[in-house]
């Protein structure tokens, strides 16, 4: 048995026997700047009661050196993941001394040496179960406790945790910082960050509550921090959530820190929220990028209540925090910030993630059956986030905003600092809405799959048909072409639950099912509506209606009902006129994907050439300095890795022949240069020259990606070997090698590794952290012309870890869809 992979049953038994009173964690990070030092001292003192004579504490590190139970040293019994405790009393004080390891994978205590200035930065990332890589703990969400952190660090560093510092002792070149005890929280949302971070301070005040605000980033990125906007969104969010939830912000201070080599978008550690540095643009940023950052800030802020104040008992109910936070991120963006179109991007882009995930053979209910931690790790997916948020939007359409938010208020009041399951929320919502929510829950939270809606004619009647029937509250929009515009003439509100529902539907140029995007369902356009869309999509006034149309087109393409080349033709015709940048960015990404994956083999090169030319033309035609201009430039760079028709023009962009207003910042330069490298029009000298201009962490990662993209068998083979075997690669550097291997879609350079892939993945899963193993298994899955190799592996490895098999099954399904849709073209 892999003792690191905790199961639901054994953690439930532990929480039934153990009640935690307080945990004190002492970390010695003074040696972090020394690159040769691999670990740091970690001392944990746990105070808890127990009805059992023995239990275990979780820890993954270099060593456990001492275990003291109620003042008595015990022989260390440590298997690499669990520390056995014996001779427990009713109340206990246990002290565990060990050495934890610095991480390069973004799990646990991640250490980063900044090549721009040689400064060292630390931060922690735990969810779902990596706090045990930093401290000995009870690694499960339902054993909450107040935590006191004491951190030794180099003098002059910022040292941060969930609470404010209450004591700082300065020594010679070092400092000891003790933080105030937290309120009761789960181990996975405790947090520590340390390093010479740049900081900007602020404050939020409302009705007598004052909250100190801090924004942090590496010194070398301080100029890109945009702290004024980040603090503005933070204040707007705190105004909104404290009012909507009728609950004061509970965690004291509110720090937000942007950290390097981060695996996620962000993490909701109370009082110290961590974000990926990808949200800090090193040059131009579109309004869509700023909207995405604002949405994430608000998503994490919603977690201060949904997830931190009230936490799921086990990962089965992960949706109780992630679905709600995903919904609230868009809702709060739309009503509390300048990003009023947040639901537009949600409809077209965020829900696409859900639709894709829900059609995989491994899909699961929103309330999932999570048997162990590996399963929990994989369920941070499109179902838990995007489908859950979409279903909550449908729930609000059923019960109304007032009932929904009053249910949330009662839920927080009844369960503050505790742990809950689905029933705890439904009880409160049923009480305030006057509805029994059991039927709704059974239909939406405990089932899998996505309904598809379309219209049929039955004699003189129009029938709305849905596959996989569920109750939906939705609207049908009737749109007409008027003076060169497509405008909504009428809207029909419907409640449907059966497979077939007769409706009275007047004629219209465009009939749009799920108008306003209230429900979670794929929609199909009837023949007349598709004709209108092909001719006039960009003339639809309402951006949310356009989002629903673009979503319908994309889903039909993925399902093989709309030819991929026809989808690309619609994009070429209408995307240059798309004014909503959030929509445009998603459309461009989908088009590139459709050409590479869904267009038939015999016409892919021609479609790719048309796409490069169209993107280049749209770039030249775009308004100078506009977000559209920058978005099309990025699309050109992405497309040019697969077709070199515009390599001369791209070289011109790098040499300064740039359309008026286009900012060619370091990141865009790397994208353009890598496209030239992947097609053989740039070499190591070009890469070295660009790195000399951008010798930063991002620049070095981009250089590694470009070097691995060189189109020779020897280069791709070296990158392949490095990805699997070089354990010194950080998470970002591993991604760079994988991207290089796949650059330009050059199957002729890497197809020879297909069989080797299947021979390597089991060992990678066994020996690497789940984060890095998942990147290898997904990123290097062979895009072969048949399913034979993957099917053989699945047959021969029936006993492989369930999480690994799930990933392989999902990749198989993606490949099977590619092959199936191509065959239909």
């Amino acid at each position: 048995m892999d003792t690191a992979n905790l199961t639901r049953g054994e953690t439930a038994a532990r929480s039934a026997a153990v009640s935690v009173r307080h945990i004190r964690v002492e970390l010695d990070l003074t040696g972090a700047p020394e690159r040769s030092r691999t670990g740091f001292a970690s001392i944990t003192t746990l105070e808890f009661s127990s009805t059992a004579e023995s239990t275990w504490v979780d820890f993954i590190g270099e060593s456990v050196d001492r275990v003291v139970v109620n003042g008595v040293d015990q022989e260390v019994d440590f298997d690499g993941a669990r520390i056995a405790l014996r001779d427990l009393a009713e109340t206990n004080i246990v002290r565990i001394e060990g050495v934890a390891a610095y991480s390069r994978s973004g799990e646990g205590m991640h250490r980063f040496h900044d090549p721009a200035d040689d400064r060292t930065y630390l931060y922690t990332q735990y969810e779902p179960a990596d706090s045990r890589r930093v401290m000995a703990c009870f690694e499960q969400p339902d054993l909450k406790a107040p935590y006191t952190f004491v951190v030794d660090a180099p003098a002059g560093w910022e040292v941060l945790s969930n609470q404010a510092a209450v004591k700082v002792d300065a020594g010679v070149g070092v400092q000891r910082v003790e933080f105030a005890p937290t309120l009761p929280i789960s181990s996975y949302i405790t947090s520590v960050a340390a390093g010479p971070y740049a900081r900007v301070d602020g404050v939020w005040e409302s009705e007598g509550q004052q909250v100190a605000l801090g924004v942090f980033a590496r010194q070398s990125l301080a100029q890109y921090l945009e702290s004024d906007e980040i603090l503005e969104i933070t204040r707007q969010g705190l105004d909104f959530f404290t009012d909507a939830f009728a609950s004061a912000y509970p965690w004291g201070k509110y720090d937000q820190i942007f950290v390097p080599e981060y695996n996620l978008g962000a993490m909701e550690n109370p009082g110290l929220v961590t974000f990926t540095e990808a949200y800090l643009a090193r040059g131009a940023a579109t309004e869509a990028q700023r909207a995405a950052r604002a949405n994430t800030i608000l998503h994490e802020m919603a977690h201060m209540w949904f997830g931190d104040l009230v936490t799921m008992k086990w990962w089965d109910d992960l949706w109780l925090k992630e679905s709600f936070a995903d919904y609230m991120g868009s809702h709060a963006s739309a009503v509390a910030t300048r990003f009023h179109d947040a639901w537009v991007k949600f409809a077209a882009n965020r829900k696409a993630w859900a639709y894709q995930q829900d059609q995989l053979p491994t899909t699961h209910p929103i309330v999932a059956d999570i048997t162990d931690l590996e399963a929990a790790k994989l369920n941070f997916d499109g179902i838990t986030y995007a489908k859950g948020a979409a279903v909550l939007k449908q729930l609000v359409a059923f019960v109304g905003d007032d009932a929904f938010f009053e249910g949330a208020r009662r839920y927080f009041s009844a369960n503050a600092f505790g742990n809950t399951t689905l029933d705890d929320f439904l009880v409160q919502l049923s009480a305030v809405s006057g509805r029994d929510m059991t039927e709704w829950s059974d239909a939406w939270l405990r089932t899998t799959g996505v309904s598809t809606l379309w219209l049929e004619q039955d004699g003189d009647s129009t029938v709305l048909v849905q596959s996989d029937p569920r109750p939906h509250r939705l609207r049908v929009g009737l749109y007409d072409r008027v003076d060169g515009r497509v405008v909504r003439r009428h809207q029909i509100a419907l409640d449907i639950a059966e497979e077939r529902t007769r409706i009275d539907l007047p004629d219209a140029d465009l009939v749009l099912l799920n108008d306003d995007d209230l429900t979670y369902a794929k929609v199909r356009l009837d023949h007349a509506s598709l004709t209108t869309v092909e001719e006039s999509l960009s003339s639809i006034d309402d951006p949310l209606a356009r989002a629903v149309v673009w979503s319908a087109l994309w889903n039909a393409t993925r399902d093989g009902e709309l030819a991929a080349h026809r989808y690309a033709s619609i994009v070429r015709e209408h995307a240059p006129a798309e004014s909503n940048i959030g929509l445009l960015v998603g459309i461009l990404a989908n088009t590139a994907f459709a050409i590479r994956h869904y267009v038939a083999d015999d016409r892919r090169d021609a479609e790719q050439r048309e796409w490069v030319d169209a993107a280049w033309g749209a770039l030249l035609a775009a308004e100078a300095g506009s977000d559209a201009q920058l978005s099309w430039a990025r699309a050109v760079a992405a497309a040019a890795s697969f077709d070199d028709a515009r390599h001369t023009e791209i070289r011109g962009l790098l040499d300064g022949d740039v359309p008026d207003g286009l900012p060619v910042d370091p990141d865009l330069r790397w994208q353009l240069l890598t496209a030239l490298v992947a097609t053989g029009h740039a070499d190591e000298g070009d890469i070295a020259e660009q790195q000399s201009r951008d010798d930063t962490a991002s620049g070095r990662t981009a250089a590694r990606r470009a070097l691995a993209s060189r189109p020779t068998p020897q280069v791709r083979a070296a990158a392949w070997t490095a990805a699997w075997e070089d354990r010194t690669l950080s998470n970002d550097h591993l991604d760079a090698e994988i991207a290089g291997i796949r650059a330009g879609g050059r199957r002729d350079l890497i197809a020879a590794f297909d069989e080797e892939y299947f021979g390597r993945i089991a060992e990678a899963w066994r020996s690497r952290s789940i984060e890095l193993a998942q990147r290898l298994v997904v990123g290097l899955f062979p895009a072969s012309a048949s399913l034979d190799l993957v099917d053989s592996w699945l047959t021969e490895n029936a006993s492989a870890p369930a999480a690994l098999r799930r990933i392989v099954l999902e990749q198989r399904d993606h490949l099977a869809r590619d092959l199936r849709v191509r065959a239909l073209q």
Side-chain angles (χ1 to χ4, degrees):
M1 176 185 177
D2 178 6
T3 60
N5 188 22
L6 299 171
T7 69
R8 179 176 54 200
E10 61 189 348
T11 55
R14 181 165 63 175
S15 64
V18 170
S19 179
V20 190
R21 298 178 180 177
H22 181 259
I23 296 176
R24 178 183 174 90
V25 180
E26 301 169 58
L27 305 175
D28 183 357
L29 307 178
T30 55
E34 300 175 32
R35 294 171 185 259
S36 62
R37 185 168 296 193
T38 60
F40 56 95
S42 174
I43 301 173
T44 306
T45 303
L46 306 100
E47 300 178 28
F48 61 96
S49 61
S50 177
T51 59
E53 293 184 358
S54 63
T55 188
W56 81 93
V57 171
D58 304 294
F59 182 70
I60 297 174
E62 294 186 355
S63 66
V64 176
D65 304 319
R66 190 182 182 201
V67 176
V68 183
V69 178
N70 299 321
V72 178
D73 278 84
Q74 287 192 355
E75 181 181 355
V76 174
D77 184 354
F78 175 52
D79 65 4
R82 305 185 187 197
I83 304 166
L85 302 180
R86 303 179 303 277
D87 301 326
L88 296 175
E90 184 176 344
T91 61
N92 303 277
I93 299 177
V94 173
R95 177 182 170 93
I96 297 174
E97 301 175 10
V99 177
Y102 292 114
S103 166
R104 302 272 343 257
S105 68
E107 302 156 298
M109 180 71 73
H110 190 82
R111 178 171 61 174
F112 177 81
H113 300 294
D114 191 343
D117 53 21
D118 206 33
R119 292 183 167 106
T120 299
Y121 295 89
L122 304 172
Y123 65 87
T124 58
Q125 171 57 35
Y126 297 150
E127 190 174 43
D130 286 319
S131 61
R132 56 188 169 161
R133 296 182 185 273
V134 172
M135 60 187 181
C137 63
F138 296 114
E139 190 74 281
Q140 57 192 87
D142 63 341
L143 282 177
K144 288 187 167 184
Y147 283 80
T148 298
F149 285 92
V150 181
V151 180
D152 294 341
W157 277 19
E158 294 284 353
V159 184
L160 306 167
S161 188
N162 302 89
Q163 288 291 303
V166 293
K167 185 179 181 182
V168 179
D169 293 328
V172 178
V174 298
Q175 59 179 321
R176 167 164 286 194
V177 183
E178 181 169 343
F179 295 91
T182 69
L183 295 166
I185 57 176
S186 305
S187 60
Y188 77 92
I189 51 175
T190 62
S191 185
V192 170
Y197 288 98
R199 72 178 292 159
V200 177
D201 292 314
V203 68
W204 172 78
E205 295 179 291
S206 179
E207 297 183 1
Q209 187 178 19
Q210 185 177 89
V211 175
L213 308 178
V215 184
F216 300 82
R218 285 188 286 136
Q219 295 279 352
S220 60
L221 291 180
Q223 62 183 309
Y224 309 119
L225 189 51
E226 294 189 321
S227 57
D228 288 346
E229 176 165 310
I230 292 166
L231 289 170
E232 178 186 25
I233 298 297
T234 303
R235 294 186 183 103
Q236 290 169 334
L238 288 168
D239 284 340
F240 173 78
F241 286 118
T242 54
D243 177 67
F245 297 153
S247 173
Y249 172 71
W251 304 110
K253 68 183 177 72
Y254 200 93
D255 288 338
Q256 298 172 99
I257 184 168
F258 293 82
V259 297
E261 298 184 328
Y262 198 53
N263 290 330
L264 310 176
M267 182 63 202
E268 67 267 20
N269 315 304
L272 182 56
V273 183
T274 41
F275 294 85
T276 173
E277 289 178 345
Y279 285 123
L280 303 180
R282 297 196 301 153
T286 66
E287 192 73 350
Q289 287 173 274
R290 292 191 171 91
R293 183 175 63 196
N295 189 301
T296 302
I297 288 171
L298 297 169
H299 175 119
E300 303 309 321
M301 191 178 291
H303 275 311
M304 300 299 116
W305 289 268
F306 280 111
D308 293 358
L309 180 66
V310 182
T311 310
M312 69 274 153
K313 185 174 181 64
W314 178 247
W315 301 102
D316 301 43
D317 285 297
L318 176 62
W319 83 282
L320 278 172
K321 71 184 191 76
E322 294 303 347
S323 298
F324 282 84
D326 221 47
Y327 174 82
M328 289 296 173
S330 293
H331 180 75
S333 291
V335 303
T337 77
R338 75 175 191 272
F339 302 109
H340 302 302
D341 64 347
W343 288 118
V344 173
K345 187 174 181 182
F346 181 87
N349 301 343
R350 194 67 167 174
K351 286 175 75 174
W353 182 26
Y355 294 141
Q356 173 183 287
Q357 192 85 41
D358 217 4
Q359 294 175 85
L360 293 172
T362 56
T363 189
H364 56 87
I366 294 172
V367 179
D369 180 24
I370 304 298
T371 57
D372 57 36
L373 286 180
E374 286 193 355
K377 176 75 172 178
L378 297 188
N379 265 40
F380 288 82
D381 61 13
I383 303 298
T384 302
Y385 284 76
K387 180 180 180 179
V391 166
L392 288 175
K393 190 177 184 186
Q394 173 70 175
L395 172 63
V396 172
F398 270 113
V399 304
D401 270 343
D402 291 345
F404 178 77
F405 279 99
E406 179 58 27
R409 295 179 195 117
R410 295 189 184 189
Y411 173 70
F412 297 140
S413 177
N415 301 289
F417 304 108
N419 297 87
T420 59
T421 64
L422 166 65
D423 289 343
D424 296 300
F425 178 72
L426 294 182
V427 163
Q428 303 300 333
L429 192 59
S430 296
V432 298
S433 68
R435 300 168 179 253
D436 182 353
M437 300 307 300
T438 304
E439 183 178 347
W440 176 87
S441 171
D442 289 345
W444 283 106
L445 302 181
R446 300 187 185 278
T447 61
T448 63
V450 55
S451 303
T452 301
L453 309 179
W454 69 93
L455 296 174
E456 289 183 357
Q457 289 300 125
D458 185 2
D460 295 332
S461 299
T462 301
V463 179
L464 196 165
V465 185
Q466 66 162 318
S467 65
D468 199 6
R470 289 180 180 82
H472 298 269
R473 175 159 291 181
L474 55 84
R475 297 168 186 158
V476 179
L478 305 177
Y479 291 77
D480 289 335
R481 289 189 268 202
V482 179
D483 298 330
R485 297 159 54 233
V486 179
V487 296
R488 186 166 62 201
R489 167 170 50 89
H490 185 55
Q491 192 178 66
I492 301 170
L494 293 173
D495 285 346
I496 65 171
E498 305 303 322
E499 181 178 355
R500 302 176 67 84
T501 303
R502 294 183 181 277
I503 58 175
D504 183 12
L505 199 63
D507 290 336
D509 291 326
L510 168 62
V511 178
L512 190 56
L513 303 179
N514 198 25
D515 202 18
D516 293 338
D517 196 47
L518 294 184
T519 196
Y520 173 74
K522 296 188 296 182
V523 302
R524 298 290 193 240
L525 299 170
D526 63 80
H527 178 74
S529 296
L530 180 57
T531 299
T532 298
V533 163
E534 286 189 294
E535 296 172 354
S536 306
L537 193 164
S538 53
S539 300
I540 299 173
D541 279 356
D542 181 6
L544 184 54
R546 293 200 306 276
V548 175
V549 169
W550 281 117
S551 175
L553 294 172
W554 178 237
N555 282 318
T557 303
R558 289 192 72 250
D559 293 345
E561 296 189 17
L562 179 69
H565 65 270
R566 190 176 179 188
Y567 174 82
S569 176
I570 295 171
V571 172
R572 291 194 298 268
E573 177 68 25
H574 294 289
E578 179 52 65
S579 59
N580 186 284
I581 297 303
L583 272 182
L584 177 61
V585 171
I587 293 162
L588 298 180
N590 287 345
T591 307
F593 189 92
I595 292 168
R596 294 197 294 271
H597 290 261
Y598 300 145
V599 169
D601 294 341
D602 61 357
R603 63 185 305 166
R604 186 176 303 114
D605 288 346
E607 283 293 332
Q608 188 68 58
R609 177 66 52 86
E610 281 198 72
W611 179 234
V612 170
D613 289 342
W616 180 256
L619 165 62
L620 297 182
E623 180 183 352
S626 66
D627 285 355
Q629 183 189 50
L630 181 57
S631 298
W632 281 108
R634 292 168 177 170
V636 166
S641 289
F642 296 84
D643 185 284
D644 67 352
R646 295 287 175 175
H647 73 89
T648 301
E649 291 90 340
I650 290 173
R651 176 64 73 174
L653 292 177
L654 291 171
D655 291 341
D657 185 9
V658 178
D660 289 345
L662 177 65
V664 183
D665 59 32
D667 293 332
L668 180 56
R669 287 190 65 85
W670 277 116
Q671 290 173 314
L672 294 166
L673 177 59
T674 303
L676 293 180
V677 171
T679 53
H681 295 287
D683 58 21
E684 298 95 314
D686 296 294
I687 297 169
E689 190 276 333
Q690 175 58 24
Q691 186 174 339
S692 71
R693 299 168 57 147
D694 183 28
D695 194 18
T696 63
S698 296
R700 290 191 180 188
T701 300
R704 180 180 289 271
R705 182 182 302 112
L707 286 168
S709 298
R710 289 171 291 164
T712 71
Q714 295 81 6
V715 166
R716 301 297 173 94
W720 175 268
T721 301
W724 292 107
E725 297 180 6
D726 186 351
R727 301 302 179 93
T728 69
L729 293 176
S730 71
N731 45 3
D732 280 7
H733 286 179
L734 176 60
D735 281 348
E737 297 288 350
I738 291 171
I741 292 165
R742 303 187 72 98
R746 293 290 303 272
R747 284 283 300 157
D748 58 310
L749 298 177
I750 60 175
F753 301 125
D754 289 359
E755 289 191 33
E756 182 182 333
Y757 167 91
F758 290 103
R760 282 186 178 270
I761 57 177
E763 171 59 20
W765 194 264
R766 185 194 66 79
S767 62
R768 308 291 284 267
S769 72
I770 189 171
E771 181 65 41
L772 298 185
Q774 186 173 0
R775 292 177 189 223
L776 288 164
V777 177
V778 173
L780 296 178
F781 185 87
S784 56
S786 88
L787 301 171
D788 293 346
L789 286 175
V790 63
D791 286 344
S792 293
W793 187 90
L794 288 166
T795 299
E796 295 166 6
N797 292 271
S799 60
L804 173 58
R805 283 185 58 85
R806 170 178 167 170
I807 294 173
V808 175
L809 280 166
E810 290 178 350
Q811 297 310 303
R812 182 203 184 277
D813 194 75
H814 292 318
L815 177 59
R817 180 181 291 268
D818 290 358
L819 299 175
R820 182 173 65 251
V821 173
R822 283 179 215 158
L824 294 172
Q825 303 298 304

